[in-house]
Amino acid sequence: MHKSLKVKTRFSQWVEQNFKILEEGYDFSPVVTTTQLNQYGGTKEIQDYALSLDASKNLAMISKTDEGAKVRKYFIQVEKDFNSPEKIMARALLMA
């Protein structure tokens, strides 16, 4: 989300500021990943987070970037599509 929203704040600072409204284990889960430091194979572990869909929507809504508006519109469209009568009927037929 940080990258998608094109936030200018440093990632760790953005997390500290914005995750106060989120609940660990429900809205997000910490994930440790590795990143390549150089062309010779040096790596470093970094802290990252897996976000729930609702947490992602929430962060997009409170973002004050142009990209935040685009992400919000994207989530709204995906939800409309998911809840369209055609998609509901298709899921119902699969369950039957």
Side-chain angles (χ1 to χ4, degrees), residues 16-28:
E16 188 177 312
Q17 291 170 347
N18 291 283
F19 280 34
K20 292 176 186 175
I21 61 170
L22 304 178
E23 182 181 333
E24 185 174 345
Y26 179 75
D27 292 314
F28 71 93

Side-chain angles (χ1 to χ4, degrees), residues 20-86:
K20 292 176 186 175
I21 61 170
L22 304 178
E23 182 181 333
E24 185 174 345
Y26 179 75
D27 292 314
F28 71 93
S29 297
V31 178
V32 176
T33 61
T34 58
T35 187
Q36 188 169 338
L37 291 175
N38 56 46
Q39 63 195 20
Y40 304 109
T43 60
K44 177 183 178 182
E45 286 190 346
I46 56 172
Q47 181 65 56
D48 206 351
Y49 300 90
L51 296 171
S52 70
L53 179 59
D54 287 342
S56 298
K57 288 181 194 177
N58 198 343
L59 291 170
M61 283 190 276
I62 65 172
S63 170
K64 294 178 181 155
T65 66
D66 290 339
E67 292 303 314
K70 291 177 187 174
V71 171
R72 283 192 297 281
K73 287 177 185 175
Y74 168 78
F75 282 136
I76 289 167
Q77 189 58 49
V78 167
E79 197 162 2
K80 282 182 183 178
D81 291 345
F82 182 80
N83 290 320
S84 71
E86 298 82 15

